[in-house]
Amino acid sequence: MYRSRLGGDIGDATLRYVSSVDDDAEIMAYDIIGSQAHVLMLNRCGIIRKTDAKKILAALRQVRYSKKSGAEDIHEMVESIVIKKAGMESGGRMHTARSRNDQVALDMRMKVRNDINVICNRILDLAEALVSVAGSHQKTIMPLYTHLQQAQAGLFSHYLLSHADVLLRDVQRLAGTYGRVNQSPLGAGPVGGTGLPIDRAMVAQLLGFDGIVENSIDATSSRDFAAEYVSMTSILMTNLSRIAEDLVVWSTAEFGFIELADEFASPSSIMPQKKNPDILELTRGKTAHMLGDLIAVLAAVKGLATGYGRDLQQAKQAVWSASRICTGALEVLRPLLLTIKVDEKRMRDAAESSNLVALDVSDRLVLEGIPFRVTHQIAGALARIAHKSKKPISGLQINDAKKAVRGTSVDAQLVLDVASSATVSSSLRERKSAGSSGYAEQKRMIAGRAKKISSYRTELASRENKIKSALDYLQKQADHI
Ligand code: ARG
């Protein structure tokens, strides 16, 4: 449709190579809505007549996606259908004072802002699930790990809440991105704006944007908003991938801490007994794919000369892929988590089997006025003796305590008293520091997170309502011009 300057028609292979029509299926709805707002503005600013605007808007209502349109992208496809239906005299005016360069940036921003909201809703659902499972496991003792070696005694609720906190930061990160994405580039033209008396702010308002991307070069050629979105969703996926990794490890026969519900496990084609955690493995695998998407966007923009370049067309795939991957992961991880079977005894036995109270013993001796470096040495010696004699620290005798205090001036009886009363549950009762595995902290944190989730939901709903009411109003205007 645009080839008047060029001689021959484009061949099939060339069209297939340059076309983004397949990828553009994801933004057709936004392209149409954007055109409605643009046409209303053109009419209100006196650039096109009401009769032409009416015909264009009626034609836009009848646009259907067609794979065989011969167009290079959705913008050409929609415009050619509008011209066919409304006639050149009216339809030929729709593209006045805009370019595909501001148009595609608009469509992408509308899709990304929508996807951010969808994703934030799902993150909050998952965070809520984590908090609710945490609520049932405030007394479920487990080992906490560093270097994947048992480190301290802890609680399963504490573990779950740690991921809820990470996810709530993902929501915050995406909310920040949303503010930068929700700006309208429309009316920037190909790169330098237009001499026609358009009103960019009006279009922005009709489409529910918070403002405009002011500089027309920036508006048409920057994709930092896309890179930011894929970065934030990549961080989100790496966070989900870490949960997946833990659950994979904990569902092995060797750990046996958890068992996935049958609906969220996969069989083997040959080994009848198998129950594989494929969903979790795919979460790790899809995260790898997502990191590739991030590189694809960054690489597409890093060497781009000023202004729009067709390289940018490729960035779309990566953005769509990012949305698909993380919405899918969030959707499936929530029910997986809610149906997980936790073997509380296995967890507790693991926590009790390897003298995880050593640090608590050391801390209690500190309360007796002994320097930490000395108490650390004594507790270390107790742990060594306990390990060798295959006894728990709490089962050691006075002779063991005497060995442990050797070279210090600490009273062996005091050490024995502290050691023999040191159990995992007593240490969790005493753990009082903010954010720790202490029993009391669980209750406080669960209540705090539930409150946070509900305030994030309110914020999110107000973002969604702003868009919805703008677009409802736009439809009314478009229908009754
Ligand atoms: N299909 C293009 C894209 O997705 C739209 C913009 C094309 N602009 C141009 N001047 N060729 O990026």
Side-chain angles (χ1 to χ4, degrees), residues 20 24 72-73 75 100-101 104 308 310 312-313 316:
S20 63
D24 290 346
E72 276 185 39
D73 56 31
H75 323 296
R100 283 182 297 166
N101 297 350
V104 69
Y308 175 88
R310 195 71 175 261
L312 294 178
Q313 182 165 294
K316 285 189 289 193

Side-chain angles (χ1 to χ4, degrees), residues 35-98:
S35 291
Q36 290 175 321
H38 182 67
V39 166
L40 283 172
M41 179 278 290
L42 289 176
N43 170 243
R44 285 182 195 168
C45 291
I47 301 168
I48 66 172
R49 289 176 311 234
K50 201 178 215 168
T51 47
D52 295 324
K54 267 187 163 172
K55 281 190 192 154
I56 296 169
L57 290 165
L60 278 171
R61 247 172 261 129
Q62 299 164 47
V63 172
R64 299 287 174 271
Y65 185 84
S66 131
K67 251 188 168 335
K68 295 200 176 74
S69 67
E72 276 185 39
D73 56 31
I74 203 73
H75 323 296
E76 183 181 3
M77 189 177 102
V78 171
E79 190 186 351
S80 62
I81 295 173
V82 165
I83 291 176
K84 209 180 281 163
K85 296 202 183 288
M88 183 58 88
E89 183 50 32
S90 298
R93 296 173 195 272
M94 179 173 76
H95 207 57
T96 311
R98 74 172 182 187

Side-chain angles (χ1 to χ4, degrees), residues 180-200:
R180 287 176 283 281
V181 169
N182 197 31
Q183 307 289 334
S184 170
L186 207 67
V191 61
T194 171
L196 295 166
I198 61 168
D199 184 342
R200 292 188 61 197

Side-chain angles (χ1 to χ4, degrees), residues 23-40:
D23 294 334
D24 290 346
E26 301 247 11
I27 46 171
M28 188 175 98
Y30 302 120
D31 203 68
I32 292 173
I33 296 170
S35 291
Q36 290 175 321
H38 182 67
V39 166
L40 283 172

Side-chain angles (χ1 to χ4, degrees), residues 103-157:
Q103 220 182 328
V104 69
L106 174 86
D107 297 355
M108 285 181 78
R109 282 173 182 271
M110 288 180 75
K111 175 169 168 54
V112 171
R113 75 175 179 182
N114 176 73
D115 292 358
I116 288 178
N117 288 344
V118 169
I119 290 166
C120 284
N121 269 310
R122 291 199 179 169
I123 302 176
L124 291 173
D125 291 344
L126 180 58
E128 198 166 67
L130 283 162
V131 173
S132 117
V133 180
S136 325
H137 289 285
Q138 298 178 59
K139 291 272 156 65
T140 306
I141 292 169
M142 70 176 289
L144 300 180
Y145 295 86
T146 67
H147 312 270
L148 199 52
Q149 301 287 330
Q150 296 187 359
Q152 283 183 276
L155 293 167
F156 190 42
S157 55

